[in-house]
Structure formats: C-alpha cells, structure tokens
Amino acid sequence: MKVLLFGCGRVGRAFCELLGRKRDVVESASISLVGVATRSRGCVFNSHGIDVDRLLQWEALTGRIDALESEGTLVISDANEMLEDLDYDILVECTPSDFEIGEPARSIIKKAIKRGKHVVTANTGAMSLHFDELTRESLEIGVKLLYEATVLSGTPLFSLVRQGLPGCCIRRFEGILNGTCNFVLTVMGMGSTFDEALLEAQRRGLSEQNPWVDIDGLEAAAKTVIVARSLMSANVDLKQASIKGIRNITAQNIEEAKRRGGKLKLLSRIEANSNEIHISVSPEILSLNHPLAHLEGFSIGALLLTDVIGEICISGSGSGPKETSYSLLKDVLSLREG
C-alpha cells in the first residue's frame, strides 16, 4: 500500500523517523512512503518508494524536502497535484490543527476521500469541527477514516473500544488529554512558577506552536468533542463545551489541592444524563484514590465507565510527536490488515 504524507512538521517528521526505525515491519506489510507534501519546504514523489532516512538527512542539511535526489524521485511544485492526480492508497494527514475552521485539513481529507483513498489523520482541529461530515463521506465512498492519533497520542483509545469492547456502551468519560497542561501543573507542584513551567514545556518542544491553545483548554476540549462524537454518538461541538484552562492557576491553588489530600489536574469530562451529554474541561482537584491523579509530567490518560464491565483506565507516559506518530503507523498497519 502506497502512503502519501501531507505535512512534515514535528509529527510528520516523527512519522518518517518511525518508518525508518520500523523498516522491517513496514516492508513486511508491503507499505511504502511514495510522497511527502509540505506547504513551504517542497514536495517529492516516487512511485517506487522514498528512502526516509535519505529524505530526513537531506532535509536536515538543506531545510528542504525537495532537496532529495534519487532515481525516480520527482519534485512536485503543487501539493494539490499530488493529492488529486498521483497514485497512492492512504493519505496520512499531519498538517497543523486549526480550531476555528479546521482548514486546510478538512479540504485535504475530503479530496482524498472523494478519490477513494483511505485517510489516517492526527488533526484534532479538523476532526473536532467536522467529525460528522468527514466520517459520513468516508462511509458513503467506502473508505476508512482513522483518527487514533487525535486524542491520546500513542495510547490506544478508539481502537481499544472498537476492538476490545464490542457491545459495551461508554456511560462516562474522564481524561487528562493535554500533556502540556499536565506538565505545567506537575512542575508547579515542585515549586516552579507558572511562567517557569510553561517555558520549560516550550523548551522541550512538546507544546503547541501557540501554547495558549493548550493552556486555555481549547486543545483538550477539541479532543473531548472527538471522544463524545466517536464513542458516545453525541451530537455536540466545541461551542457547547464548558472550557476553563490553567492560565490563572497559582501556587496557592496547587498548595490548596495538597492540603485537601489531592492533586490539581486539567480534567476533561463527558457525562451522559438521560438524553443529554455534558462536556467540560477545567482544573479539578482529584483525590489520590483517582487513577488519573498519579499521571505526572507529559503523561496522559483516560477513565471510561462502561455499562457492562465498569471502569477501565488507560494511560501513556508521553504525549509528543514520537507517540503520536506511532498511532499514525498503527492505523496505517490496521488498514493493511483489513
């Protein structure tokens, strides 16, 4: 199966690195990266497959994707030409998330679906804003749209429910979905100021390009909407979510949580009451008995209440590009497996 990668920022580059590290797995599954498209660093295509190690080496030396020179590799001037005219089976979409209109990811995904291509995406913005539209069109065309990478980075959530919990209904969801906020609160708990903690998160390169998308709870809320739509069939959007971030959290708030025998966390909640769904994202003091209270640093996780087997807790120790790229690869491999 031929993969076209759209977007080669932190997540797209990590995906290429993972393809190189897992070359034996990728080759045994007959998967090859045939194209890489970027907005400002060029586009390349090779129907016989791109050597990702050489691609990354040339990109590191020149700052350009289209600096790669190898037999059969074409430099493409228009990314849309790759999307609409060239031969591939799976689009892996890694463009930056936009939380206002979901573009350009929405249009990119729609074009691939209309051509009968499977899509794997990490785009939280597009999926939170256009979930119904994109999933409906993929069903109508008869292709798969997979989005494991949009919520818990590399920790399986949607595939866990889809494959591991058939017949179960999710009644309640609680999650620590933003690693940056969890890191900031953890570091503040060790005595740092808010500004110091945020600066350290940025220095490590694991926050959004605009950190306030994280800090003000918008990114966590978008992920929560995707969970509500996907796992609870809820007709909700970001406008219906109650969102409060951690911008105004102080050392006093952290100490108050400790005095009350708990920890302060930015918690996403989905509550199903009768025929209503309530979504919220806000700082909460979690009792030390709560399974999510002990997630520290960039760790993220979720607690699901099911109607059949009660509570299930999942967590992952990282929420960066490396972990997100694994979910992309897992979704690609699942398409190969059928």
Side-chain angles (χ1 to χ4, degrees):
M1 299 186 80
K2 299 179 178 180
V3 173
L4 171 62
L5 173 65
F6 240 70
C8 197
R10 292 183 303 156
V11 173
R13 187 178 295 107
F15 178 70
C16 289
E17 292 171 350
L18 185 58
L19 290 179
R21 287 203 308 275
K22 295 294 181 180
R23 189 181 303 275
D24 55 339
V25 175
V26 172
E27 290 180 351
S28 66
S30 299
I31 291 169
S32 63
L33 180 69
V34 296
V36 180
T38 70
R39 182 175 54 185
S40 60
R41 290 175 291 125
C43 309
V44 292
F45 186 87
N46 189 325
S47 61
H48 299 293
I50 292 171
D51 185 327
V52 291
D53 292 333
R54 291 196 65 208
L55 176 75
L56 293 171
Q57 288 170 0
W58 278 102
E59 194 267 347
L61 285 170
T62 66
R64 302 284 303 180
I65 293 295
D66 54 11
L68 176 67
E69 295 181 3
S70 63
E71 184 177 353
T73 298
L74 305 175
V75 174
I76 309 296
S77 59
D78 184 0
N80 280 323
E81 177 188 344
M82 301 178 71
L83 191 65
E84 297 175 348
D85 299 330
L86 298 180
D87 180 33
Y88 61 96
D89 302 299
I90 303 170
L91 172 71
V92 173
E93 192 279 320
C94 294
T95 62
S97 282
D98 175 90
F99 296 96
E100 293 184 1
I101 59 175
E103 293 290 0
R106 170 184 170 272
S107 295
I108 291 169
I109 293 170
K110 283 171 66 71
K111 287 175 182 177
I113 289 173
K114 286 181 178 178
R115 285 197 65 198
K117 310 300 182 183
H118 300 299
V119 177
V120 171
T121 183
N123 203 290
T124 302
M127 289 305 298
S128 65
L129 294 168
H130 305 290
F131 185 91
D132 284 355
E133 175 190 18
L134 296 175
T135 54
R136 182 181 64 252
E137 290 189 8
S138 67
L139 286 171
E140 290 173 352
I141 298 294
V143 296
K144 296 285 185 66
L145 170 60
L146 300 178
Y147 44 88
E148 188 76 81
T150 59
V151 174
L152 280 181
S153 297
T155 304
L157 172 62
F158 302 115
S159 58
L160 170 69
V161 175
R162 185 170 59 247
Q163 298 166 12
L165 299 173
C168 280
C169 291
I170 309 301
R171 299 301 191 195
R172 187 180 71 238
F173 175 92
E174 296 177 356
I176 294 176
L177 304 183
N178 187 275
T180 298
C181 287
N182 204 44
F183 178 85
V184 168
L185 293 174
T186 297
V187 175
M188 289 181 70
M190 298 167 63
S192 295
T193 66
F194 174 86
D195 290 338
E196 289 169 342
L198 178 56
L199 186 62
E200 178 62 16
Q202 291 176 297
R203 187 188 69 78
R204 297 192 183 200
L206 295 175
S207 66
E208 291 286 339
Q209 187 173 11
N210 172 12
W212 300 109
V213 169
D214 292 319
I215 296 302
D216 288 335
L218 180 58
E219 199 245 14
K223 292 178 175 181
T224 311
V225 166
I226 296 172
V227 173
R229 286 184 171 273
S230 180
L231 300 187
M232 302 174 77
S233 302
N235 184 22
V236 294
D237 58 36
L238 278 171
K239 295 177 182 178
Q240 296 168 266
S242 172
I243 307 171
K244 182 180 180 182
I246 66 168
R247 185 191 290 248
N248 297 318
I249 294 298
T250 65
Q252 288 72 26
N253 299 132
I254 301 291
E255 289 304 314
E256 174 64 19
K258 291 180 180 179
R259 283 194 296 272
R260 292 170 58 177
K263 291 187 178 180
L264 192 64
K265 300 292 182 182
L266 184 70
L267 194 72
S268 294
R269 284 186 180 274
I270 307 173
E271 300 275 1
N273 300 315
S274 300
N275 295 322
E276 293 184 332
I277 296 284
H278 298 281
I279 294 180
S280 65
V281 175
S282 65
E284 292 191 26
I285 298 175
L286 298 185
S287 162
L288 295 183
N289 294 324
H290 195 295
L292 299 180
H294 301 283
L295 297 182
E296 303 289 2
F298 287 104
S299 296
I300 51 179
L303 183 68
L304 290 73
L305 176 64
T306 72
D307 63 337
V308 178
I309 57 174
E311 290 185 344
I312 295 174
C313 185
I314 56 175
S315 64
S317 60
S319 55
K322 181 179 71 173
E323 291 81 10
T324 302
S325 71
Y326 171 70
S327 279
L328 294 172
L329 178 58
K330 182 169 68 66
D331 278 348
V332 169
L333 290 172
S334 73
L335 290 171
R336 179 59 181 169
E337 295 165 0

